[in-house]
Amino acid sequence: MTGKAEIDTRNIPAHVAVIMDGNGRWAKQRGGLRVFGHQSAITAVRETVEEAAELGVRFLTLYAFSTENWNRPALEVMALMQLLVHTIRQETATLLKNSIKLQSIGDISTLPASCQRELAEAKELTKHGTRMTLVLALSYSGRWDLTQAAKCLANDVAAGRLQPTDVNEASLSGYLATAGIPDPELLIRTSGEQRISNFLLWQLAYTELYITDLLWPDFRRQHFQEAILAYQRRERRFGKTSEQLAVS
């Protein structure tokens, strides 16, 4: 087990993204329903958010509900939506206390009206938070993000607000749901799965991947620290050689 004292506070990733996976398997191992795993994951979320803020992470994005998750059994989806409302309502005071701003990305219009109301209220109440921004990816997928960005960009080109020659990586990024947010420098995925599951497809181009076999309900602040330490031990080359980095 690594210690927090080993972390270099001068090399904290500005943006960390997390795929919170394994709730269902965690519950099954204990003879419970999948929703039991989702309920038990709240502590993992709380500790991860608190530790990220304490370490100086500026943006923390949690993959809370993907567009593909709508294909799950109706009872599980309904329970997830109810849990989402309850959790947002319960945790807003803590976000305010810690000056954490809440944002969301995804097709929010597809969420139940109660979820939309709770989310909008929490975002309004926390909008002046300056310590960290917590981004919830809800009804989100990377392909949805790229599709809606392409549509908006095409509309602006058709309307003459943007010239085709002006379309580049920077301009396209401005149409994504994450516009104004730096690309993640670190992606954490629990449960040992070796894929990114349609999450932030454009934004993860040069992100460091950290995969742990831990199931999400068991994830705690010390595990977040371990992910940060693993990130700090890597050499980020962005296509260059180690020798080029040494002289730059």
Side-chain angles (χ1 to χ4, degrees):
M1 184 74 69
T2 55
K4 190 171 183 176
E6 299 177 55
I7 294 175
D8 182 357
T9 56
R10 300 165 299 176
N11 184 25
I12 300 296
H15 185 181
V16 177
V18 184
I19 298 177
M20 307 178 293
D21 194 21
N23 294 347
R25 274 167 284 174
W26 187 91
K28 186 176 181 180
Q29 289 173 3
R30 288 156 179 79
L33 298 175
R34 291 178 60 87
V35 69
F36 171 57
H38 299 312
Q39 292 168 338
S40 301
I42 295 174
T43 300
V45 172
R46 186 181 298 122
E47 290 206 13
T48 298
V49 171
E50 290 176 353
E51 188 62 24
E54 288 178 14
L55 287 175
V57 172
R58 301 300 302 157
F59 296 89
L60 176 68
T61 299
L62 303 180
Y63 202 9
F65 193 85
S66 73
T67 53
E68 289 80 10
N69 288 155
W70 289 113
N71 296 320
R72 291 186 175 184
L75 285 176
E76 181 181 351
V77 171
M78 183 174 67
L80 273 170
M81 292 298 109
Q82 292 173 345
L83 181 61
L84 176 62
V85 169
H86 174 74
T87 303
I88 292 174
R89 184 181 300 148
Q90 185 179 45
E91 298 298 323
T92 298
T94 302
L95 296 179
L96 279 168
K97 180 181 177 181
N98 290 284
S99 192
I100 296 174
K101 179 180 180 179
L102 181 66
Q103 289 189 2
S104 62
I105 56 174
D107 191 0
I108 304 303
S109 65
T110 60
L111 298 176
S114 58
C115 291
Q116 294 185 47
R117 285 195 301 270
E118 290 292 339
L119 187 60
E121 182 177 343
K123 288 162 70 173
E124 177 64 24
L125 288 171
T126 63
K127 66 181 181 181
H128 297 301
T130 58
R131 189 180 186 190
M132 185 179 78
T133 298
L134 172 62
V135 183
L136 296 182
L138 294 164
S139 194
Y140 175 90
S141 77
R143 288 183 175 179
W144 166 86
D145 199 0
L146 288 167
T147 300
Q148 65 85 27
K151 287 179 179 178
C152 292
L153 190 152
N155 286 336
D156 280 352
V157 169
R161 292 186 291 267
L162 185 72
Q163 295 301 312
T165 53
D166 294 329
V167 177
N168 52 36
E169 289 187 15
S171 61
L172 178 56
S173 293
Y175 288 91
L176 295 172
T178 53
I181 298 175
D183 290 343
E185 293 161 285
L186 172 65
L187 170 69
I188 300 170
R189 177 164 191 154
T190 57
S191 85
E193 299 292 349
Q194 306 283 320
R195 57 180 180 271
I196 59 175
S197 297
N198 203 1
F199 184 43
L200 299 173
L201 296 179
W202 174 277
Q203 299 89 336
L204 293 177
Y206 274 101
T207 300
E208 296 295 325
L209 307 182
Y210 178 85
I211 297 172
T212 173
D213 290 331
L214 271 176
L215 301 179
W216 178 246
D218 291 326
F219 196 85
R220 294 294 182 268
R221 60 176 66 239
Q222 64 266 28
H223 303 123
F224 187 83
Q225 294 166 12
E226 290 170 5
I228 297 296
L229 278 168
Y231 165 84
Q232 292 183 345
R233 291 170 181 147
R234 298 181 189 181
E235 181 182 68
R236 307 193 72 210
R237 295 190 297 274
F238 299 99
K240 296 182 179 180
T241 65
S242 298
E243 291 73 20
Q244 286 177 300
L245 293 177
V247 298
S248 61

